[in-house]
Structure formats: structure tokens, C-alpha cells
């Protein structure tokens, strides 16, 4: 497929990055063992590294963020328990209903505010009394960043206090935790410390090909490890993949600021164009509205400029910056949205 060739600029997501030569060399050099026996030194190093960095006792390497969130929910909640979650959250809307399907856990979705927070009065109202009529409310699940937006740090502290008062656990879908930390100008553990468990994707802006890590207490992670095996996520010589994750943590965290800066540049340039409205930029994401009638032309221009965009049927588009988008790519992206004939 044309879009997989490296001379295309792919802004569909930050999942599309390819491991560079240095990351591949780190993978090739990885010491490995059978991780189901706990024998893979590179997996163990990655798990310990993220647990330490984020201030938790233990970590667990998983093939995907979806599975990491799933086993976290299953570790926090038993059959008949419920978690409170945003109506548009990944852990509710974009994970195939896994918590309900596989965990017998009831989601209690509530509408998010535009900044991605769940209003705490609504959270409090959603907590059920202890009564056999109701599922047992056990957990609040948040997402940071949320459509690129970092959740306000003072909100996290207030959410933590609320959960403490009601005996709820707190899980963070931190697929893009490091984007939030870089944007907030704080170490990632300053965000993570409000939660009982955090799932981090290595395969988004950090640029690893595969993998997420769940961190939490020893007790929580040992339950999650069991569910990882049950759900088919026990991998063997996974150190090859964990090595890419370690390399990403060493080399690709601070550079997220470059993606954010590039996203800001792109947003600024797009905002000057006549067919682009309501431009918003948050960390590595840019959102724009285009007139619906221009969608077919936009598709055609994207193709001819070798730019991959997610162009659906709605006028709101999301453009995602990442480490495979160089500075000189931005002119080509802007040209897709412009009315000028192709140079
Ligand atoms: C990507 C993502 C995940 C996990 O997705 P996988 O593709 O399963 O790794 C979870 N939450 C959010 C917000 C994400 O963007």
C-alpha cells in the first residue's frame, strides 16, 4: 500500500512510527529469556524501570494498551463491580467493551467536560450505595492526555481526594502520559502519583513498535499478570520488544516537545487558510474543521502530496505529529489544505 512507503507523511496517528536503526540495533542486542517464567532480563528491566520512574512497586509488559487497560480493570474490579469512566474514553468506547465482555465489569460512563475531565459532582452522583440492587462502584478511570489535552494537575488531586473519601481505586489510561508530562513541564510521576495504576503506551509518540506497560502495587500487578496470561498476553522472548521500549524511554521522551512545537507550527499555518476553521492544537495533535464539500478534493490532494490523513465523513479532522514527521514535511501538509494549484 502506498501509505506505508517512508516518503509519505502519515498523520493518521502517532502509532505509525517505524523503529530507526538505533532502536533496531538495541532490539537485536537484547538479552532474552522466557517471560512467562519471568526469565526475560530485558522485560524485567523495562518493568522495573517504569515502575521506578513512575513511583510504583511493580510493572507488567503487555502487547497492547487495550490489553493493559483490560487487565488493570480486571485487577481492580471483580465480577459485578463497576468502574466510572468518560463516555468517549478509550477504556469505554474504543476497547470493544472488553471490561464487560471479558471481565463481567459494568462500565458507568458519564459525559466528559471539553477538557477531558469528568466533573467530580457527576462522578460523586454516579457512585452507587452498597445495596444488592446495584453494581459495586470500585474504580474511577481517567485518560491523560485526552484528545491531546493534558488533564489539569489540580483536577487530579481533587479526583484523588474524592476517590479516597469513597474508597474507590483510580486507574489512568496514560497511553500518552509522557506527552502530558512534557507539556505540563513535570516528571511523569507527578501525574502518576495520583493513581493506583497507570498504563503507558510505548508504541505511540515514544516510537516503539509494540507494547504497553502497566504499573501498580505488587499485589495489583500480580493479579494483572494472571489476567494477562488468561487473555493470551503471556509472551515468551519478549525482550526483543522490551528493548525497543527501553530505547524509547532513553531517547524519545524529551523529544516529544519537538512534536508539540511542530503541531503548534502546523496549527498556526493551517489557521491562515480559507478552507480551515476552528483550529485547535494540544500537545502533538491538531484538530481542524473543513467544509464537508471539500472532503473529496482534500482526499485527492492528500494522495497527490503523499500525505496520509484520516479523512472520514465528518468535517472535523485530527492530525497527529510524531517522530517520523520532519520539519520540512509541514509545507506539504499545509499545501494539501490550501486552494493553490499543486506546484
Ligand atoms: C492507543 C490508545 C490505547 C491503547 O491502544 P492499543 O492500540 O491497544 O495499544 C489506549 N488508550 C488511548 C487513549 C489510546 O490512544
Amino acid at each position: 500500500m502506498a501509505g506505508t512507503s517512508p516518503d509519505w507523511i502519515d498523520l493518521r496517528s502517532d502509532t505509525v512510527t517505524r523503529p530507526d536503526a538505533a532502536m533496531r540495533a538495541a532490539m537485536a542486542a537484547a538479552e532474552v529469556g522466557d517471560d512467562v517464567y519471568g526469565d526475560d532480563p530485558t522485560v524485567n528491566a523495562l518493568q522495573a524501570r517504569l515502575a521506578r520512574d513512575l513511583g510504583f512497586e511493580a510493572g507488567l509488559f503487555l502487547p497492547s494498551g487495550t490489553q493493559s487497560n483490560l487487565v488493570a480493570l480486571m485487577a481492580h474490579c471483580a465480577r459485578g463491580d463497576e468502574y466510572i469512566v468518560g463516555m468517549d474514553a478509550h477504556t469505554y468506547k474504543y476497547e470493544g467493551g472488553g471490561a464487560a465482555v471479558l471481565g463481567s465489569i459494568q462500565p458507568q460512563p458519564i459525559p466528559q467536560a471539553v477538557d477531558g475531565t469528568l466533573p467530580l459532582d457527576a462522578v460523586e452522583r454516579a457512585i452507587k450505595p452498597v445495596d444488592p440492587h446495584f453494581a459495586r462502584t470500585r474504580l474511577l478511570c481517567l485518560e491523560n492526555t485526552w484528545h491531546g489535552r493534558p488533564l489539569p494537575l489540580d483536577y487530579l488531586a481533587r479526583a484523588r481526594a474524592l476517590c479516597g473519601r469513597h474508597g474507590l481505586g483510580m486507574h489512568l489510561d496514560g497511553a500518552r502520559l509522557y506527552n502530558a508530562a512534557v507539556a505540563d513541564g513535570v516528571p511523569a510521576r507527578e501525574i502518576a502519583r495520583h493513581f493506583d495504576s497507570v498504563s503507558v503506551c510505548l508504541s505511540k509518540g515514544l516510537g516503539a513498535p509494540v507494547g504497553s506497560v502497566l504499573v501498580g502495587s505488587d499485589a495489583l500487578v500480580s493479579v494483572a499478570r494472571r489476567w494477562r496470561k488468561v487473555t493470551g498476553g503471556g509472551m515468551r522472548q519478549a525482550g526483543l520488544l522490551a528493548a525497543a521500549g527501553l530505547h524509547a524511554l532513553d531517547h524519545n521522551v524529551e523529544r516529544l516537545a519537538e512534536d508539540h512545537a511542530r503541531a503548534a507550527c502546523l496549527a498556526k499555518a493551517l489557521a491562515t487558510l480559507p478552507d480551515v476553521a476552528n483550529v485547535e492544537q494540544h500537545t502533538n495533535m491538531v484538530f481542524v474543521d473543513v467544509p464537508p464539500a471539500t472532503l473529496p478534493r482534500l482526499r485527492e490532494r492528500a494522495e497527490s502530496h503523499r500525505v496520509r490523513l484520516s479523512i472520514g465523513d465528518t468535517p472535523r479532522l485530527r492530525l497527529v505529529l510524531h517522530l517520523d514527521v520532519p520539519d520540512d514535511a509541514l509545507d506539504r501538509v499545509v499545501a494539501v489544505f490550501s486552494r493553490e494549484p499543486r506546484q
Side-chain angles (χ1 to χ4, degrees):
M1 182 178 142
T4 61
S5 146
D7 69 332
W8 280 65
I9 301 164
D10 194 340
L11 302 185
R12 288 173 301 174
S13 177
D14 46 11
T15 55
V16 300
T17 58
R18 282 160 240 253
D20 62 11
M23 183 177 279
R24 284 168 194 257
M27 295 170 75
E31 263 190 77
V32 297
D34 189 327
D35 182 51
V36 173
Y37 290 108
D39 285 351
D40 191 301
T42 311
V43 170
N44 291 340
L46 172 65
Q47 292 174 163
R49 158 95 186 258
L50 262 177
R52 192 178 58 244
D53 285 1
L54 299 181
F56 290 85
E57 287 172 354
L60 186 68
F61 184 50
L62 296 110
S64 72
T66 297
Q67 193 173 44
S68 180
N69 284 322
L70 173 66
V71 301
L73 292 170
M74 291 174 79
H76 282 283
C77 301
R79 182 174 194 205
D81 290 350
E82 103 179 335
Y83 67 112
I84 297 174
V85 62
M87 202 107 94
D88 291 314
H90 206 278
T91 46
Y92 172 60
K93 194 171 172 181
Y94 296 94
E95 298 183 0
V101 174
L102 302 166
S104 301
I105 303 164
Q106 165 168 289
Q108 169 61 68
I110 60 176
Q112 272 125 328
V114 283
D115 67 356
T117 59
L118 303 186
L120 294 179
D121 53 346
V123 171
E124 194 150 30
R125 278 196 304 276
I127 298 170
K128 315 272 187 296
V130 179
D131 175 315
H133 287 89
F134 304 120
R136 289 167 302 205
T137 311
R138 288 280 198 226
L139 182 72
L140 174 64
C141 184
L142 299 176
E143 183 172 320
N144 196 12
T145 59
W146 160 253
H147 292 185
R149 290 172 181 82
L151 298 186
L153 291 168
D154 67 315
Y155 169 79
L156 299 181
R158 283 184 287 117
R160 174 82 258 177
L162 175 80
C163 288
R165 284 201 300 282
H166 291 275
L168 303 190
M170 255 172 96
H171 172 69
L172 179 63
D173 176 359
R176 298 186 178 85
L177 171 69
Y178 284 96
N179 293 86
V182 165
D184 288 339
V186 298
R189 66 155 60 208
E190 271 304 298
I191 298 170
R193 74 186 174 87
H194 299 289
F195 294 87
D196 299 295
S197 57
V198 178
S199 171
V200 178
C201 283
L202 301 165
S203 58
K204 301 266 163 92
L206 297 181
V210 175
S212 285
V213 175
L214 175 68
V215 294
S217 66
D218 282 328
L220 183 122
V221 167
S222 81
V223 178
R225 179 176 289 108
R226 179 178 169 76
W227 288 125
R228 182 185 69 170
K229 189 77 182 89
V230 171
T231 54
M235 299 184 285
R236 303 294 176 172
Q237 285 70 34
L240 291 173
L241 300 172
L246 283 166
H247 182 87
L249 290 170
D250 283 338
H251 297 95
N252 294 345
V253 173
E254 282 83 25
R255 67 151 304 287
L256 291 170
E258 295 171 29
D259 297 340
H260 302 176
R262 226 161 259 149
C265 271
L266 179 60
K268 205 168 153 207
L270 290 174
T272 65
L273 299 178
D275 287 337
V276 175
N278 302 322
V279 179
E280 279 187 68
Q281 176 254 329
H282 306 287
T283 61
N284 65 328
M285 297 185 185
V286 178
F287 300 86
V288 298
D289 283 342
V290 295
T294 67
L295 286 172
R297 191 189 70 197
L298 202 61
R299 267 190 208 102
E300 188 270 313
R301 285 181 74 97
E303 196 71 18
S304 74
H305 285 82
R306 300 192 316 287
V307 174
R308 278 264 161 232
L309 301 171
S310 294
I311 307 176
D313 300 322
T314 60
R316 190 92 177 138
L317 305 184
R318 181 187 82 162
L319 293 75
V320 187
L321 283 290
H322 52 74
L323 83 180
D324 285 355
V325 182
D327 268 334
D328 58 11
L330 297 189
D331 286 345
R332 232 160 88 199
V333 177
V334 174
V336 170
F337 288 85
S338 119
R339 288 182 188 168
E340 303 298 317
R342 191 172 172 203
Q343 306 84 351

